[in-house]
Amino acid sequence: MKSLAPYTPQYPSHAFTDLSGELMRGLTIGGAAAEIVGTVLIAIISFLTQGIADVVWPNGQKSPIGVSGIVVAPSGFGKSVILKILMNAIEQCLRRLSQIDEKFLDFLIEDATREAIVESLVRFPVAFLQTDEAGQLQHLFRHAATLVKLLDGAPLRNARVSSGRKALFDERLTMLLMAQPDVFDGIKHVFLPKGGVGAGNRLFYAPCNGLVAGGSLHHLVLNGPVELAYNEKVTALLDATIQHVEKQIKVRPALCLSVAAAQCLINLGDEVCRKSLPGSPWHFISEYVSRPTAGTRRGCH
């Protein structure tokens, strides 16, 4: 990345508003880096909303809402603490729901083999795969073609597992992976192999350089009103997802980008195309930056 830009721009914390903004401010004031808090928030928001809405890109195609991510930071920077704080409300809600029906435990995937993920999504088609030990999932990354389909929400018509052949349609899977820098260096080739299927293009990468100056992980807490509002929002979104699945709603509501956001995305695509041409600064990574993702970008010609 040093060859791409002379400096690293400040993380856009201002883009988080309302409740997400309160969560962002509360945890970064406590001492955690915005790169960690923001990426975890994006993944969790994506998970909580992916079952009830899609997004429409400038070319008119629909895509799963949100994005999966990878946080890369040394030990002691608060990755696990932030994840635990924000997952607590989700896990409490799922424990209550699982007393009604055990299938709701499949909202969260822990046994992250290809077969286990497929079986889990067959039982319940919306899920969140999260781990603070990404190095343990190398076996999963070998099944990149299947992983790409699941992250794109594309049909998986004939998946062979031990219990037989399974089919998935309109599934929704979000991933949040965390790794220390040396672990990530050992596995990053799996995400971005030359000529691969583009699994790495489905992920948002967030390297973290340190704690907020003067901060302490002991101060990472949510104040009472924010925590209560977050708990209520988690419960409402999980309930809405369950209603959507159980009513077998075939078409999710689709959110359209604003005119400014759509134009920004088009301009970014054009800039990427220009900088990826032979002799341009990004040509050496042109396969990565110019590859269309889930049909959301215009092709480079």
Side-chain angles (χ1 to χ4, degrees):
M1 293 299 293
K2 292 180 180 178
S3 65
L4 301 183
Y7 68 95
T8 301
Q10 185 176 3
Y11 191 88
S13 301
H14 63 277
F16 294 84
T17 60
D18 301 323
L19 178 56
S20 67
E22 294 288 345
L23 294 166
M24 185 73 171
R25 285 187 291 273
L27 293 173
T28 52
I29 289 174
E35 293 86 350
I36 295 178
V37 179
T39 306
V40 174
L41 268 175
I42 288 170
I44 287 180
I45 292 169
S46 299
F47 157 59
L48 291 172
T49 56
Q50 64 179 346
I52 55 179
D54 289 333
V55 64
V56 179
W57 295 98
N59 59 7
Q61 294 195 33
K62 292 183 181 180
S63 175
I65 200 168
V67 67
S68 296
I70 299 181
V71 175
V72 183
S75 178
F77 277 38
K79 302 187 300 297
S80 299
V81 177
I82 295 299
L83 182 61
K84 182 177 181 181
I85 289 173
L86 293 174
M87 286 298 299
N88 184 54
I90 294 172
E91 291 174 343
Q92 287 187 17
C93 186
L94 293 182
R95 278 197 292 271
R96 294 193 298 270
L97 290 170
S98 67
Q99 296 176 2
I100 302 172
D101 194 325
E102 288 188 355
K103 71 181 179 184
F104 297 136
L105 293 174
D106 287 300
F107 263 119
L108 301 181
I109 296 177
E110 296 182 356
D111 183 6
T113 62
R114 171 192 171 276
E115 180 171 325
I117 292 174
V118 170
E119 293 277 15
S120 178
L121 289 169
V122 167
R123 290 189 296 268
F124 196 82
V126 180
F128 187 35
L129 170 71
Q130 45 86 21
T131 178
D132 54 6
E133 297 291 344
Q136 297 180 0
L137 299 184
Q138 294 193 54
H139 58 278
L140 175 61
F141 306 145
R142 297 190 187 101
H143 300 283
T146 299
L147 195 57
V148 163
K149 285 194 171 186
L150 296 179
L151 292 175
D152 287 351
L156 197 66
R157 295 183 173 86
N158 192 14
R160 184 178 299 174
V161 294
S162 60
S163 59
R165 296 183 182 274
K166 304 294 183 181
L168 289 171
F169 298 93
D170 295 320
E171 75 283 357
R172 291 293 181 266
L173 174 67
T174 298
M175 295 198 313
L176 174 63
L177 312 178
M178 295 184 171
Q180 297 184 29
D182 57 340
V183 173
F184 180 69
D185 286 341
I187 64 174
K188 62 185 180 183
H189 67 281
V190 183
F191 296 107
L192 302 169
K194 189 172 181 59
V197 296
N201 295 75
R202 272 76 177 172
L203 303 170
F204 175 76
Y205 299 85
C208 177
N209 298 318
L211 295 170
V212 174
S216 169
L217 297 182
H218 298 294
H219 298 151
L220 292 178
V221 295
L222 298 177
N223 68 46
V226 172
E227 184 176 21
L228 178 60
Y230 177 59
N231 292 349
E232 291 175 348
K233 180 65 69 174
V234 165
T235 299
L237 290 173
L238 289 176
D239 285 345
T241 300
I242 291 171
Q243 291 295 316
H244 182 102
V245 172
E246 293 192 336
K247 290 181 179 179
Q248 298 183 350
I249 299 174
K250 300 299 183 183
V251 180
R252 295 179 179 86
L255 306 179
C256 294
L257 298 176
S258 68
V259 173
Q263 189 59 52
C264 178
L265 189 62
I266 291 171
N267 293 343
L268 179 61
D270 291 341
E271 181 182 9
V272 166
C273 287
R274 289 193 300 271
K275 291 185 177 181
S276 302
L277 296 172
S280 298
W282 294 354
H283 179 63
F284 74 105
I285 55 171
S286 59
E287 183 179 357
Y288 171 72
V289 298
S290 63
R291 182 195 294 267
T293 301
T296 62
R297 294 181 184 152
R298 297 181 301 167
C300 296
H301 300 289

